[in-house]
Amino acid sequence: SHPVDNAGFLSFTTFAWMTPMMWAIFRNRLDMSSISLSPFDAADTSGERLQKLWEEEVVKKGLEKASLVNATLRFQRTRLILSILIGTFAMAAAFVGPAILVSKILNYIENPGMSTVTYGVGLAFALFCTEFLKAFFISLMWAINLRTAARLKGAFSSMAYQKVISLRVHSGISMGEMINVLTNDGHRLFEAVLFGSFTLCTPVLFIACIVCACFVLGYTALSGVCIYIIFVPIQVRSSS
């Protein structure tokens, strides 16, 4: 069995299950014959599940209206919801630390006589906790997203390979087109799953920052927010 299948929660979150493998690689005691693939991440297992979901989508909506996007979303639905929830906690911790606790610490430094030492130590400990929780939740989200992305890419590659092989019998699909489908498109799906939950939970941090800015600076802060929103599509368009 693969070490990740036997890893506990903390080992899975912190990637500690990789430590023995890294040491074995460092000591040149690890080769391809000693590396096993998790049966849960195998392309044939994931491909059969995605194919089943696609067939259910076709039966439900018909071949013309069936959506592969809906099938892939169902394929990772539970993990996606969990990843977004964890990412929301990470964004909340990322906001509370710099926006609230750092401000209170600076106020305490300016007027240390207004509060006790215990209050200052408590603020410092709270800042440590928020930064620790942010790193912990982001690491957990990475661990979930990486495994989900690997499963979806394997499922897509397996399903696409079977489809391309069947089409080559009736059409002149070149080998280059087949490789492009199995590599480039699969990698795009991998990156979409890997970074998609970050994109979906980022608005939580953005909205919290807007509310905090309006509370501190007043409604004039909305002018800066509007300028920021305007420049986002401009930057995306210029980078593309």
Side-chain angles (χ1 to χ4, degrees), residues 34-132:
S34 58
I35 299 179
S36 60
L37 179 66
S38 172
F40 301 105
D41 300 334
D44 54 350
T45 304
S46 301
E48 291 176 359
R49 181 166 175 261
L50 183 60
Q51 180 66 34
K52 181 180 178 180
L53 294 174
W54 167 248
E55 292 174 355
E56 292 177 357
E57 180 75 11
V58 172
V59 172
K60 183 178 180 181
K61 298 183 179 179
L63 185 60
E64 296 296 331
K65 296 183 179 180
S67 174
L68 185 60
V69 176
N70 292 336
T72 55
L73 288 177
R74 289 183 60 194
F75 180 86
Q76 56 168 337
R77 178 173 55 192
T78 303
R79 286 174 166 266
L80 179 61
I81 294 173
L82 181 61
S83 179
I84 294 175
L85 183 63
I86 294 172
T88 302
F89 291 148
M91 295 300 106
F95 169 76
V96 171
I100 299 177
L101 294 178
V102 170
S103 176
K104 290 185 176 297
I105 290 175
L106 293 176
N107 292 333
Y108 173 79
I109 293 174
E110 292 178 357
N111 300 298
M114 300 295 295
S115 302
T116 62
V117 177
T118 305
Y119 177 76
V121 173
L123 289 176
F125 181 75
L127 181 61
F128 167 79
C129 290
T130 56
E131 292 300 314
F132 174 81

Side-chain angles (χ1 to χ4, degrees), residues 27-230:
R27 297 174 180 176
N28 295 325
R29 296 180 180 178
L30 190 68
D31 53 16
M32 295 301 299
S33 61
S34 58
I35 299 179
S36 60
L37 179 66
S38 172
F40 301 105
D41 300 334
D44 54 350
T45 304
S46 301
E48 291 176 359
R49 181 166 175 261
L50 183 60
Q51 180 66 34
K52 181 180 178 180
L53 294 174
W54 167 248
E55 292 174 355
E56 292 177 357
E57 180 75 11
V58 172
V59 172
K60 183 178 180 181
K61 298 183 179 179
L63 185 60
E64 296 296 331
K65 296 183 179 180
S67 174
L68 185 60
V69 176
N70 292 336
T72 55
L73 288 177
R74 289 183 60 194
F75 180 86
Q76 56 168 337
R77 178 173 55 192
T78 303
R79 286 174 166 266
L80 179 61
I81 294 173
L82 181 61
S83 179
I84 294 175
L85 183 63
I86 294 172
T88 302
F89 291 148
M91 295 300 106
F95 169 76
V96 171
I100 299 177
L101 294 178
V102 170
S103 176
K104 290 185 176 297
I105 290 175
L106 293 176
N107 292 333
Y108 173 79
I109 293 174
E110 292 178 357
N111 300 298
M114 300 295 295
S115 302
T116 62
V117 177
T118 305
Y119 177 76
V121 173
L123 289 176
F125 181 75
L127 181 61
F128 167 79
C129 290
T130 56
E131 292 300 314
F132 174 81
L133 289 176
K134 180 186 71 173
F136 182 83
F137 285 132
I138 290 178
S139 179
L140 178 58
M141 186 163 58
W142 272 112
I144 294 175
N145 289 355
L146 279 170
R147 201 169 192 194
T148 306
R151 291 183 181 183
L152 182 59
K153 182 180 180 181
F156 171 79
S157 299
S158 176
M159 186 176 174
Y161 179 77
Q162 297 294 333
K163 186 66 175 179
V164 170
I165 289 299
S166 63
L167 290 176
R168 279 179 60 84
V169 179
H170 307 286
S171 61
I173 299 177
S174 65
M175 185 63 65
E177 291 174 331
M178 182 189 302
I179 294 175
N180 181 67
V181 170
L182 298 178
T183 55
N184 293 342
D185 295 345
H187 187 68
R188 289 175 182 175
L189 278 176
F190 182 88
E191 290 185 337
V193 177
L194 187 61
F195 300 107
S197 57
F198 284 94
T199 305
L200 294 175
C201 63
T202 298
V204 176
L205 179 61
F206 186 66
I207 294 173
C209 291
I210 293 176
V211 173
C212 182
C214 292
F215 178 78
V216 176
L217 302 176
Y219 291 106
T220 55
L222 294 176
S223 59
V225 174
C226 293
I227 293 175
Y228 178 82
I229 294 175
I230 292 173

